Amino acid sequence: MTCIHLLLTLVFAVSLGTPVEIKRPRGVPLTKKPFYEENKPFTCLDGSRTIPFDRVNDDYCDCKDGSDEPGTAACPNGSFHCTNAGYRPTFIPSSRINDGICDCCDTTDEYNSGARCENTCKELGRREREVLQKMAEVTKEGFLLKQQLIEEAKKGHQEKQVKVTDMQENKKQLEEKVEALRTVKETAEQPEKEAKERHLKAWDEQKAAVRLEKDKAKMSEAFLELDDNADGFVSVSELQSHAEMDPDADGTFTEAEAQGLLGGTEQVDTTTFESVWTNIKEKYHSESQSEEPAPVETPPEEVKEPVVDNEPYPEEDVSEEEDEDDDEEDDYNEEDKAPPTVRTPEKSQEDEEAMPPYDADTQVLINVAQKTRDDFEEAEKALREMDDQIRNIEKELSFDFGPNAEFTYLYNQCYELPTSEYIYRLCPFNRVSQKPKYGGSETNLGSWGSWSGPENNKYLTMKYEHGTGCWQGPNRSTTVKLTCGKETVVTSTSEPSRCEYQMEFTTPAVCQEPTNIDLSPHGHEEL
Amino acid sequence: MAASCDSLLLILLLCLSAQAVDRSNFKTCDQSTFCKRQRELKPGQSPYRALLDTLELSDSRITLQLINDNNKVRLLLELYRLQGNMTRVKINELKPLKPRYEVPDVLISDPLTEPLSVVSQDENSLVLCLGGKERRLIVSAQPFRLDIVEGPQVLMSLNSRGLLAFEHLRARKDTISHKISSTVGSMWDSLKSIFSSKSESEEMTGQESVEKQSDEDGQIKEEEDKPGMWEETFKSHSDSKPNGPSSISLDFSLPGVEHVYGIPEHADTLKLKNTDGSDPYRLYNLDVFQYELHNPMALYGAVPVLISHSTERTMGIFWLNAAETWVDISSNTAGKTLFGKMLDFVQVSSEAPQTDVRWISESGIIDVFIMLGPKPTDVFTQYASLTGTQSFPPLSTLAYHQCRWNYNDQEDVKAVDQGFDEHDIPYDFIWLDIEHADGKRYFTWDPIKFPQPKDMLQGLMDKKRKLVAIVDPHIRVDSGYKIHNEISSQSFYVKNKDGGDYEGWCWPGNSGYPDFTNPQMRAWWASMFAYDQYEGSMENQYVWNDMNEPSVFNGPEVTMHKDALHGVWEHRDVHNLYGLYVQKATADGLIQRSGGVERPFVLTRAFFAGSQRYGAVWTGDNAAEWGHLKMSIPMCLSLGLVGISFCGADVGGFFKHPSTELLVRWYQAGAYQPFFRAHAHIDTPRREPWLFGPENTGLIREAVRQRYALLPYWYQLFYNAHHTGQPVMRPLWVEYPGDVATFSIEDEYLIGKDLLVHPVTDEGATGVTAFLPGKGEVWYDVHTFQKHDGDQSLYIPVTMSSIPVFQRGGSIICRKDRVRRSSSCMENDPYSLYVALSSQGSAEGELYIDDFHTFNFETSKQFVHRHLSFSANMLSSRNLSPDSQFSTGSWIEKIVIVGGGQPSSVTLRDADGTESTLEFEFDSTHAVLTLRKPAVNAAADWTVLLR
């Protein structure tokens, strides 16, 4: 208990292979040794007070800064220095001295707790050196790879820039071509249009004549039919036998009404019937046809069909979301997507015959115009494609691929990591996703957001945001931590908080230029 | 992982409407038909009459019969005078159709009785002696009532408002004979409306059929069934009620009382509210999703104990009934319930305030313990003598606990453990919620996430830390699961009304519920914690029982159907007891696995009277809101008043994401509450203490460190609670019972009697106003040692680092100022004594030390218990328990004496009389004298003299 006053301790520091013996109070690093001079009053390192030297490490805290108890747990804010010969020297909080837990690999923190600690410094040092060695190798190779990546990226970047410039040039030519073709097209279309109009007009006239003929024939037939007694006159009574012609449709076709239809006379002959016919032809039913369903145009129906046709089709159908979530929302979408009705191509039955083919001259004009149209559209399409390509390259060029564009090679790539349940997929600068191994839809864990590493090197972390929403929670997001490696691989994923994912990703692109790593045993800092 | 659908589905099922509690999931009094029936009874003439000629008197009790003059059903009244100033009143049917449930296993033993003697008797009353100075129990025959008086004062009256109602068991009426008689009855009804005649009805009385009821005119008709007596439907759930109506009710009047407390668990004020015009307080253990504050709704646990307090006297009513219970509280004036015989005894102003309390339970019997105080400490002692004291927890369980639903895997556990060391924040326990088990099969480990549990536990053990893994009482129905197969093959499951195994939905999906009321089942359950049964478990692993209301996601009110069967008893009878049994069986298991050596630790969400004997409780699924932080104080104070001292709330709030300020404030408050655990819902972002910037990490570190430094004080208080039944966390009125100003305070409290804590519970607070009680007393700010007078409201400016805590002048508190990474690491560290002098210049305190984790303190008296006292400039340590023995490595490092003068010299005299001089420092700003390194062993006798 109280008597832990082993004030001084012998410390063997390894220096150039020669053990040197240095006396100093327990827990004091060599650098501070001068402040602890044996047999001289000790002044707290903060200067707050001076105490007799026998109160250094006497297991009672006298200095506010804890400096009088470097080797005991007496001060709440003190720290203890482990030399850890063979490994890395370190400071631990005073509260870990004699707490029964081995903190220093050289066991010096547990000198009075009964804890049985083994000196593991040598082993730790060896392992650390191994690790460092391996890391150094990896870093070295990785860094070489990185140089290549940078070269490639540079080359690629230049190529792309050249390409873009070329394409811009091409684009200009294309644009000119499109304009030229547009003029050609318009020039060709003018005569075509005129010829077509002519043709149409002629056909309209022809149709009118035909219709008139038909009407006349119908009228004659009607006259013959109405003229029951075949006396060459249609009389009031003969007219009355056709109840459908009742002008007020009140069920009784009176004599006066019939007479009215006949223009106030008792009967009409074929000539006079002409004027009567215009009054009655809408209603007149031929007796011979009366059994047939009325084939006449039924205006209301005619309206319906086109409406359905013209109805704007749901836009969503076009934009296929590939990252569908199994949310309830889907159910609604599903309904939206189902075709509203089954559409049957129903052409309204035209009573008129089809338009006669264009005459040869017109057809020639049309063919010529069509050719110019096709040429124009083709050129326009080429221009659009060119535009897209330029945009894509420009987008790529606009990405922050690192100070030396070393991350360029990740663009348009995807890296997968299967776990027990899921396959995780990282497509750098694009998105992160998770797909169940055994069926089920993919979940978006975030789209490219930004570099979000620490201030001194933001390129150590990538942030992917605004993934699929979580139930009662935030949208999924992923933080990707980049470490130096020869390979480009996703090494682990985790979900520390609901819907906040973490990925570890190795890439040569973050390998630093290897400094001359000192692989000699540690301890030289002690000098 | 987030996309895992089964848990998502369950959560959806549980809580579609999210934001706050869905009240419609839980019954109001009106929807609980017995409560509605009972509450429809209005105060007035009681139909009950005591038949004084049936009096039987024995040494330990008297019995007599009560008759309900309306239906002629007789009840048996038993009265006991219990040792320690208590009275027990039991009422059961004289000849019930079948036995009615009497709650077992809650009382620690048959309470010791004292002789009852009849002082006087006349045709309408009986006066019994309760001992003491003129303490009497008066039995009035008609109408029946009981009054407990002391001298000229009525302490408490029973049935003074005539609300005693005992629904006797009866045969169901849908038999042929019933149909005939009901037909006859209705004929009679129509007849009587024509020929209303007294003589005829008197004839009928002679016939004495099974169930008759005479109304005020003396006419008789059959007692009618009321809706819900034989079947009740709530939402889609039907309760078959094969035994029909069986509810009971009794009223209590408390003259002179305006303040009543207790009957947890409710998220409501410390002082109970008047329930006129609202629902009564409900006691029915329920898993309430996102509970609401300031609401008498039932929560996870129930302790049917009400404490009344006035400047004159503190009393308690313990209503020993485990069925669904409702408690109505109303204000009254004393004059309204005093009459007749009473007036001969007492003089009470009719204007004197009075509180009326009415208990209503769905089944069982009336079994009431009236604890007559008179002081708060007496009531605690009395209640402890009935149901036992707080279990004495291992010291480490009083330290800080880090929990989250869920630490994902072994690596996660390791990383969090390292995080605490990296940020130099102490912690003792890391917790694993339901995701750690393989498919929510408790007693197992997820083979992918926790493939090597022993490695993980060993890693923690190497740092002297521990783990808690959850073991819930719902068992996955799965023929590949050993636990299920054994329970099923031994027929240990609760049965449904048709006799098959009861099944319901809980975390694992379809689940069975072991019948913990069955002692064989409990013994088997306990045996499952043996190291060779619970694979992967180790001695530094403890247990958490959640969902033990029991929670049944698809059951009525998210719990078990009342007509489910526990042997011969209905779930209706035992409901509130289920959680207690789960924790008891688990704690027994932990004791047994260590061969009876180690003290267990089991946290429970559901509880009942007596649960204090088995471990800790927490206030369930609270939310990251300032209101919930505030509410944690009255909730734990209420529990402390009824015996359950080991209480805490989820630090940070379980649901939702706390602001950094709220999280820091919650740590600061939680550090000064008995059970100190941070916990978080699975859908919330991570919130380990170091995730909010170095400044906040520092604030949290400091709060946790304050807790660790005070562990000796907490430990001593828990020893005291275990030993005497006194609560650890106390409302101010408990220590200042005569000061009315303290009676409603719930934003500050005392730890023991010597520390007053007023946590900051308001967002953006720049100050708090603390009431420092005690005329003539002084209080010292524990951080600055600034002295304040008692009996004043004090405004204290606060910053983010402030935790207003005051030490009472006149007290000595022992601390361990060398805070380490876990409490076990501090085992042999020295103590610092903080002596806060009273205005008279004296102080006293205690120091308790043992091995901190075994039963040896009890089985072989291995402990140190010291009394420390300072007076007349002399501080001495005296052995409080000379027959105990324990050697400790701890010594006295430092003595800080606050509020005295500067001595010229200080001498230490040790046990063998050797004297030595102590160095000291004196800081005159706050009169702080620090004695340097007395270095005496903490178990030794010693004296320090100031000259």
Side-chain angles (χ1 to χ4, degrees):
Chain A
M1 36 158 277
T2 60
C3 31
I4 355 168
H5 309 268
L6 286 170
L7 195 65
L8 301 176
T9 176
L10 293 180
V11 176
F12 295 90
V14 181
S15 148
L16 308 169
T18 323
V20 178
E21 209 174 281
I22 300 149
K23 272 187 170 181
R24 59 191 144 123
R26 194 195 295 278
V28 175
L30 261 184
T31 50
K32 290 202 175 139
K33 200 225 165 232
F35 301 110
Y36 296 83
E37 270 194 83
E38 204 175 343
N39 300 325
K40 277 193 185 166
F42 171 76
T43 302
C44 305
L45 296 187
D46 63 359
S48 58
R49 66 190 293 187
T50 300
I51 55 171
F53 192 77
D54 64 5
R55 297 213 168 154
V56 172
N57 279 345
D58 74 335
D59 208 15
Y60 186 88
C61 191
D62 292 288
C63 296
K64 281 211 171 87
D65 66 353
S67 57
D68 64 316
E69 297 294 317
T72 78
C75 294
N77 51 346
S79 59
F80 176 87
H81 184 262
C82 330
T83 307
N84 290 347
Y87 187 53
R88 223 183 305 149
T90 184
F91 286 96
I92 59 166
S94 290
S95 64
R96 295 181 192 171
I97 300 169
N98 290 326
D99 67 348
I101 298 160
C102 309
D103 291 286
C104 301
C105 62
D106 65 3
T107 76
T108 50
D109 60 318
E110 297 299 316
Y111 57 87
N112 194 29
S113 69
R116 265 173 297 176
C117 302
E118 271 175 52
N119 190 323
T120 55
C121 292
K122 243 181 163 174
E123 175 61 19
L124 284 174
R126 192 184 59 76
R127 260 191 281 159
E128 189 187 47
R129 280 190 299 280
E130 271 176 23
V131 169
L132 285 175
Q133 190 120 34
K134 211 173 243 168
M135 258 176 55
E137 278 161 29
V138 168
T139 308
K140 200 172 149 196
E141 286 180 50
F143 188 71
L144 284 177
L145 286 171
K146 182 180 174 181
Q147 300 314 309
Q148 288 174 22
L149 292 175
I150 292 171
E151 275 312 303
E152 279 164 26
K154 217 179 266 170
K155 223 186 280 164
H157 190 83
Q158 280 165 358
E159 276 168 14
K160 272 173 197 135
Q161 263 175 340
V162 169
K163 201 171 167 194
V164 168
T165 323
D166 285 355
M167 284 166 97
Q168 298 282 22
E169 192 52 43
N170 286 344
K171 184 183 158 190
K172 219 175 271 167
Q173 290 171 8
L174 261 178
E175 276 168 351
E176 282 163 14
K177 189 177 166 192
V178 167
E179 280 320 301
L181 286 173
R182 187 197 306 279
T183 319
V184 173
K185 180 186 85 153
E186 280 164 4
T187 320
E189 275 174 341
Q190 191 54 37
E192 178 204 25
K193 191 180 164 204
E194 284 164 10
K196 270 182 166 176
E197 276 167 4
R198 267 198 308 278
H199 179 83
L200 209 63
K201 197 175 166 206
W203 181 45
D204 280 346
E205 283 164 4
Q206 193 190 333
K207 273 196 290 187
V210 168
R211 214 177 289 138
L212 200 66
E213 272 314 301
K214 272 190 181 169
D215 193 44
K216 266 189 182 150
K218 221 174 181 181
M219 181 181 73
S220 312
E221 267 173 50
F223 187 88
L224 289 176
E225 207 178 292
L226 285 170
D227 182 13
D228 285 337
N229 54 5
D231 63 350
F233 292 97
V234 171
S235 66
V236 168
S237 55
E238 282 168 344
L239 202 60
Q240 271 177 294
S241 68
H242 280 255
E244 78 269 15
M245 282 184 297
D246 180 5
D248 61 2
D250 63 351
T252 42
F253 192 14
T254 61
E255 237 173 88
E257 283 170 341
Q259 206 168 341
L261 286 177
L262 293 184
T265 53
E266 277 298 312
Q267 55 179 32
V268 291
D269 59 9
T270 44
T271 330
T272 334
F273 188 70
E274 250 177 78
S275 61
V276 176
W277 173 240
T278 49
N279 289 339
I280 63 169
K281 65 180 172 189
E282 294 298 325
K283 291 186 174 175
Y284 169 75
H285 275 191
S286 161
E287 278 160 7
S288 57
Q289 294 173 334
S290 60
E291 297 306 309
E292 292 170 27
V296 201
E297 305 98 277
T298 43
E301 275 173 41
E302 216 176 17
V303 182
K304 266 185 201 163
E305 289 298 331
V307 168
V308 174
D309 259 339
N310 296 342
E311 195 174 40
Y313 206 65
E315 290 276 313
E316 300 95 287
D317 201 29
V318 189
S319 60
E320 278 271 344
E321 296 268 356
E322 35 177 353
D323 44 35
E324 242 130 48
D325 193 26
D326 44 357
D327 281 351
E328 0 16 344
E329 283 173 38
D330 266 1
D331 299 338
Y332 300 115
N333 286 344
E334 221 73 63
E335 278 173 33
D336 284 350
K337 282 177 208 163
T341 47
V342 182
R343 286 171 301 153
T344 47
E346 203 168 320
K347 274 190 183 153
S348 59
Q349 209 184 337
E350 269 301 323
D351 49 303
E352 313 289 349
E353 305 99 89
M355 184 176 77
Y358 293 114
D359 59 67
D361 290 348
T362 310
Q363 195 55 51
V364 167
L365 287 174
I366 289 172
N367 291 349
V368 169
Q370 189 57 43
K371 175 82 175 53
T372 62
R373 267 195 298 274
D374 290 347
D375 291 349
F376 169 75
E377 273 160 22
E378 199 180 318
E380 219 184 18
K381 192 178 158 208
L383 178 61
R384 266 201 312 274
E385 281 169 359
M386 178 70 72
D387 250 349
D388 283 350
Q389 281 178 33
I390 292 171
R391 249 202 310 278
N392 281 337
I393 297 171
E394 279 175 343
K395 185 183 165 198
E396 189 180 337
L397 288 174
S398 75
F399 270 103
D400 179 358
F401 288 129
N404 296 304
E406 59 268 47
F407 299 101
T408 312
Y409 81 106
L410 299 174
Y411 191 73
N412 276 335
Q413 302 294 314
C414 290
Y415 303 89
E416 288 190 346
L417 177 74
T419 64
S420 56
E421 270 180 275
Y422 300 98
I423 294 169
Y424 289 87
R425 195 174 154 92
L426 166 66
C427 304
F429 305 103
N430 184 6
R431 64 201 290 270
V432 182
S433 59
Q434 174 201 54
K435 194 175 165 63
K437 256 183 168 167
Y438 310 104
S441 56
E442 197 181 64
T443 305
N444 181 357
L445 305 186
S447 302
W448 168 247
S450 60
W451 291 105
S452 61
E455 251 170 63
N456 60 349
N457 188 357
K458 66 171 178 171
Y459 300 102
L460 289 177
T461 310
M462 290 171 153
K463 187 87 190 156
Y464 292 81
E465 300 155 319
H466 310 300
T468 312
C470 269
W471 181 78
Q472 270 215 326
N475 283 46
R476 287 170 175 79
S477 64
T478 306
T479 303
V480 182
K481 293 195 168 157
L482 281 63
T483 49
C484 166
K486 286 186 279 182
E487 316 271 322
T488 304
V489 251
V490 178
T491 55
S492 78
T493 65
S494 60
E495 188 187 1
S497 272
R498 227 346 122 90
C499 301
E500 291 177 11
Y501 296 81
Q502 255 182 36
M503 257 183 191
E504 309 254 342
F505 186 55
T506 64
T507 160
V510 294
C511 294
Q512 297 292 320
E513 182 163 17
T515 47
N516 284 326
I517 297 171
D518 182 6
L519 295 176
S520 65
H522 287 275
H524 60 281
E525 290 92 333
E526 285 293 307
L527 290 176
Chain B
M1 298 277 158
S4 149
C5 317
D6 53 344
S7 64
L8 199 76
L9 225 151
L10 278 172
I11 295 163
L12 273 169
L13 192 111
L14 188 64
C15 45
L16 273 167
S17 67
Q19 291 318 304
V21 65
D22 184 356
R23 290 201 196 190
S24 72
N25 278 336
F26 303 101
K27 289 181 184 178
T28 59
C29 177
D30 265 2
Q31 288 166 321
S32 202
T33 54
F34 77 92
C35 184
K36 184 178 156 84
R37 282 200 303 279
Q38 289 277 7
R39 230 187 177 199
E40 277 166 358
L41 289 180
K42 294 295 170 220
Q45 204 81 338
S46 174
Y48 288 97
R49 176 160 55 91
L51 305 171
L52 295 184
D53 53 348
T54 61
L55 173 72
E56 282 180 39
L57 181 63
S58 76
D59 260 6
S60 58
R61 65 166 190 177
I62 73 152
T63 62
L64 50 80
Q65 293 177 19
L66 306 179
I67 188 162
N68 179 335
D69 277 329
N70 289 345
N71 60 15
K72 304 298 177 211
V73 174
R74 290 190 181 207
L75 304 177
L76 181 71
L77 168 73
E78 295 172 70
L79 297 170
Y80 300 82
R81 175 183 161 203
L82 302 183
Q83 276 185 16
N85 202 11
M86 289 182 283
T87 302
R88 183 181 192 176
V89 178
K90 252 176 116 166
I91 302 174
N92 196 353
E93 287 180 56
L94 181 63
K95 287 175 184 156
L97 215 55
K98 57 196 272 191
R100 297 179 68 118
Y101 188 68
E102 298 189 32
V103 177
D105 299 318
V106 166
L107 300 178
I108 46 174
S109 58
D110 272 345
L112 297 174
T113 57
E114 288 188 301
L116 262 178
S117 55
V118 176
V119 176
S120 66
Q121 185 174 4
D122 60 27
E123 76 285 352
N124 193 41
S125 73
L126 184 66
V127 180
L128 302 165
C129 176
L130 289 177
K133 35 167 191 174
E134 300 179 293
R135 213 174 295 125
R136 304 272 187 268
L137 174 59
I138 303 164
V139 183
S140 304
Q142 191 166 25
F144 164 68
R145 62 181 275 164
L146 296 172
D147 292 278
I148 297 171
V149 302
E150 188 174 84
Q153 275 198 316
V154 181
L155 304 182
M156 191 184 296
S157 308
L158 282 67
N159 200 33
S160 54
R161 289 192 298 151
L163 294 169
L164 167 62
F166 210 108
E167 291 181 331
H168 60 282
L169 298 179
R170 59 202 77 185
R172 197 169 184 143
K173 290 182 188 170
D174 51 7
T175 56
I176 292 171
S177 64
H178 163 256
K179 276 175 186 156
I180 292 167
S181 67
S182 71
T183 316
V184 172
S186 64
M187 279 168 64
W188 169 250
D189 277 351
S190 34
L191 273 174
K192 95 179 167 190
S193 61
I194 303 166
F195 312 100
S196 182
S197 142
K198 247 183 184 171
S199 60
E200 274 185 19
S201 61
E202 273 158 10
E203 260 180 51
M204 287 296 292
T205 328
Q207 292 180 355
E208 274 295 326
S209 65
V210 199
E211 278 161 18
K212 299 284 173 183
Q213 173 181 301
S214 71
D215 58 25
E216 273 162 18
D217 303 330
Q219 290 162 344
I220 290 178
K221 57 176 187 242
E222 285 223 340
E223 196 172 285
E224 276 173 28
D225 277 353
K226 296 204 176 111
M229 274 186 167
W230 293 93
E231 187 167 32
E232 180 172 330
T233 302
F234 178 67
K235 299 193 109 175
S236 59
H237 303 284
S238 159
D239 175 1
S240 67
K241 295 197 178 177
N243 298 321
S246 58
S247 73
I248 53 170
S249 158
L250 182 59
D251 65 274
F252 300 75
S253 292
L254 298 157
V257 169
E258 287 180 280
H259 294 80
V260 288
Y261 308 92
I263 53 169
E265 179 177 40
H266 300 100
D268 210 344
T269 49
L270 175 64
K271 175 189 180 319
L272 298 174
K273 289 173 182 155
N274 194 318
T275 59
D276 292 341
S278 74
D279 255 14
Y281 284 98
R282 188 182 189 204
L283 294 173
Y284 191 60
N285 295 354
L286 291 174
D287 178 2
V288 181
F289 180 80
Q290 295 193 344
Y291 61 78
E292 238 175 65
L293 304 181
H294 299 290
N295 191 313
M297 282 171 75
L299 289 180
Y300 313 93
V303 184
V305 174
L306 180 133
I307 310 277
S308 74
H309 178 69
S310 69
T311 52
E312 307 294 310
R313 182 180 279 271
T314 310
M315 293 187 291
I317 299 171
F318 172 27
W319 175 267
L320 180 50
N321 188 299
E324 180 184 341
T325 296
W326 297 79
V327 186
D328 252 322
I329 290 162
S330 53
S331 307
N332 208 334
T333 49
K336 291 195 179 163
T337 55
L338 284 175
F339 72 102
K341 186 80 185 171
M342 297 313 318
L343 297 176
D344 301 343
F345 280 85
V346 300
Q347 310 94 38
V348 178
S349 151
S350 62
E351 292 308 308
Q354 171 171 307
T355 297
D356 292 328
V357 179
R358 183 189 184 193
W359 298 78
I360 303 168
S361 289
E362 189 178 12
S363 66
I365 64 162
I366 293 175
D367 191 0
V368 199
F369 296 82
I370 295 158
M371 300 171 281
L372 293 171
K375 299 217 167 331
T377 51
D378 298 324
V379 174
F380 301 140
T381 307
Q382 285 154 4
Y383 181 62
S385 75
L386 298 172
T387 65
T389 61
Q390 176 66 53
S391 64
F392 189 27
L395 173 74
S396 55
T397 65
L398 296 174
Y400 174 63
H401 299 260
Q402 181 66 36
C403 187
R404 171 173 182 84
W405 176 24
N406 214 95
Y407 285 119
N408 297 330
D409 48 31
Q410 279 178 233
E411 286 66 44
D412 199 1
V413 168
K414 199 171 175 182
V416 171
D417 179 72
Q418 277 169 0
F420 276 92
D421 283 344
E422 274 158 32
H423 299 91
D424 201 17
I425 300 171
Y427 92 95
D428 272 57
F429 278 84
I430 189 162
W431 291 53
L432 295 179
D433 208 324
I434 51 174
E435 313 297 331
H436 85 277
D438 182 11
K440 279 100 180 174
R441 295 172 189 88
Y442 308 109
F443 300 98
T444 71
W445 303 86
D446 185 303
I448 290 159
K449 298 171 189 160
F450 295 91
Q452 303 295 339
K454 285 195 174 181
D455 288 357
M456 173 178 66
L457 286 161
Q458 186 61 52
L460 292 168
M461 196 182 280
D462 290 344
K463 294 222 192 135
K464 302 197 177 183
R465 287 174 179 148
K466 302 171 172 72
L467 179 137
V468 169
I470 200 164
V471 176
D472 285 351
H474 50 260
I475 300 301
R476 180 166 169 155
V477 173
D478 169 6
S479 58
Y481 179 26
K482 180 185 87 172
I483 298 284
H484 162 72
N485 289 340
E486 289 207 32
I487 296 174
S488 165
S489 68
Q490 301 192 64
S491 197
F492 279 158
Y493 276 126
V494 174
K495 302 291 185 281
N496 60 35
K497 66 175 165 46
D498 306 315
D501 284 348
Y502 178 90
E503 287 181 2
W505 277 81
C506 209
W507 297 122
N510 199 27
S511 305
Y513 292 78
D515 183 2
F516 283 90
T517 69
N518 175 351
Q520 280 97 47
M521 155 59 210
R522 292 200 301 273
W524 174 83
W525 178 267
S527 74
M528 287 300 103
F529 290 93
Y531 297 119
D532 58 349
Q533 291 291 332
Y534 190 163
E535 279 171 44
S537 69
M538 279 173 54
E539 59 270 32
N540 64 335
Q541 179 188 337
Y542 295 80
V543 183
W544 168 21
N545 293 148
D546 196 357
M547 316 297 281
N548 52 341
E549 294 75 23
S551 177
V552 181
F553 292 161
N554 59 342
E557 304 192 83
V558 201
T559 192
M560 193 172 275
H561 291 73
K562 283 177 173 170
D563 51 12
L565 293 168
H566 300 254
V568 300
W569 300 110
E570 281 192 289
H571 184 68
R572 184 186 331 278
D573 299 312
V574 306
H575 177 85
N576 284 347
L577 204 48
Y578 189 84
L580 175 144
Y581 277 133
V582 174
Q583 192 190 18
K584 174 181 161 57
T586 306
D588 285 348
L590 295 192
I591 295 171
Q592 283 169 28
R593 72 172 186 184
S594 75
V597 173
E598 297 288 329
R599 286 180 243 161
F601 172 75
V602 182
L603 177 74
T604 181
R605 193 169 70 181
F607 51 82
F608 189 65
S611 286
Q612 68 268 21
R613 307 195 294 262
Y614 308 114
V617 306
W618 93 106
T619 61
D621 299 344
N622 62 358
E625 291 167 8
W626 291 91
H628 276 268
L629 167 58
K630 275 195 177 70
M631 188 55 80
S632 68
I633 302 171
M635 285 180 84
C636 280
L637 285 174
S638 297
L639 279 164
L641 289 174
V642 299
I644 299 177
S645 269
F646 205 177
C647 167
D650 286 346
V651 169
F654 178 66
F655 290 111
K656 303 187 181 172
H657 182 46
S659 68
T660 304
E661 184 188 359
L662 175 58
L663 185 68
V664 169
R665 290 300 189 200
W666 211 318
Y667 267 98
Q668 293 173 338
Y672 287 89
Q673 289 179 9
F675 177 57
F676 182 26
R677 181 187 72 151
H679 188 31
H681 189 276
I682 193 165
D683 287 332
T684 61
R686 295 290 279 242
R687 52 168 104 136
E688 284 70 43
W690 50 87
L691 295 175
F692 305 91
E695 195 176 326
N696 294 303
T697 305
L699 292 170
I700 294 172
R701 178 191 298 121
E702 175 55 24
V704 177
R705 283 188 170 189
Q706 287 184 26
R707 169 57 165 238
Y708 275 70
L710 271 174
L711 282 174
Y713 183 60
W714 283 104
Y715 195 58
Q716 174 222 319
L717 288 172
F718 268 89
Y719 175 73
N720 184 54
H722 174 68
H723 205 59
T724 68
Q726 302 304 306
V728 169
M729 184 175 168
R730 303 173 189 166
L732 265 59
W733 63 259
V734 166
E735 293 300 328
Y736 298 87
D739 186 351
V740 180
T742 64
F743 289 6
S744 300
I745 291 179
E746 59 173 25
D747 56 355
E748 65 181 53
Y749 57 93
L750 294 164
I751 302 172
K753 63 184 195 315
D754 297 336
L755 279 186
L756 184 148
V757 187
H758 189 118
V760 182
T761 57
D762 282 306
E763 186 168 19
T766 53
V768 297
T769 302
F771 179 72
L772 301 179
K775 211 173 183 97
E777 290 197 18
V778 289
W779 294 87
Y780 300 89
D781 184 313
V782 297
H783 310 296
T784 64
F785 299 116
Q786 195 183 343
K787 184 158 102 178
H788 302 283
D789 286 333
D791 199 30
Q792 65 156 329
S793 285
L794 181 70
Y795 179 79
I796 306 145
V798 298
T799 63
M800 269 318 288
S801 65
S802 308
I803 316 176
V805 180
F806 300 88
Q807 184 175 346
R808 192 176 57 82
S811 65
I812 301 175
I813 289 179
C814 300
R815 297 177 184 241
K816 279 189 176 177
D817 283 334
R818 302 183 179 191
V819 173
R820 302 194 190 245
R821 64 182 133 200
S822 77
S823 68
S824 305
C825 294
M826 296 159 65
E827 186 183 338
N828 293 311
D829 279 340
Y831 290 91
S832 292
L833 272 45
Y834 288 80
V835 182
L837 297 182
S838 68
S839 359
Q840 291 76 38
S842 62
E844 56 179 1
E846 288 178 22
L847 174 59
Y848 176 86
I849 305 170
D850 60 15
D851 63 20
F852 303 121
H853 60 94
T854 73
F855 283 109
N856 293 345
F857 75 99
E858 208 163 55
T859 52
S860 51
K861 295 219 128 206
Q862 292 186 31
F863 63 87
V864 172
H865 197 186
R866 310 290 305 177
H867 183 257
L868 304 163
S869 67
F870 184 96
S871 67
N873 283 327
M874 191 171 81
L875 173 66
S876 61
S877 170
R878 180 170 59 83
N879 197 347
L880 269 177
S881 178
D883 58 340
S884 69
Q885 51 174 14
F886 184 73
S887 67
T888 171
S890 294
W891 46 287
I892 309 296
E893 171 175 34
K894 184 169 70 174
I895 297 168
V896 180
I897 300 168
V898 199
Q902 180 170 15
S904 53
S905 74
V906 179
T907 313
L908 169 76
R909 189 192 303 141
D910 66 18
D912 50 15
T914 318
E915 294 203 350
S916 53
T917 305
L918 290 185
E919 262 193 54
F920 61 88
E921 273 177 65
F922 186 75
D923 175 355
S924 56
T925 34
H926 290 311
V928 182
L929 174 68
T930 306
L931 310 186
R932 189 184 193 278
K933 211 179 174 190
V936 284
N937 188 278
D941 289 338
W942 51 267
T943 306
V944 166
L945 279 160
L946 312 185
R947 289 198 178 90

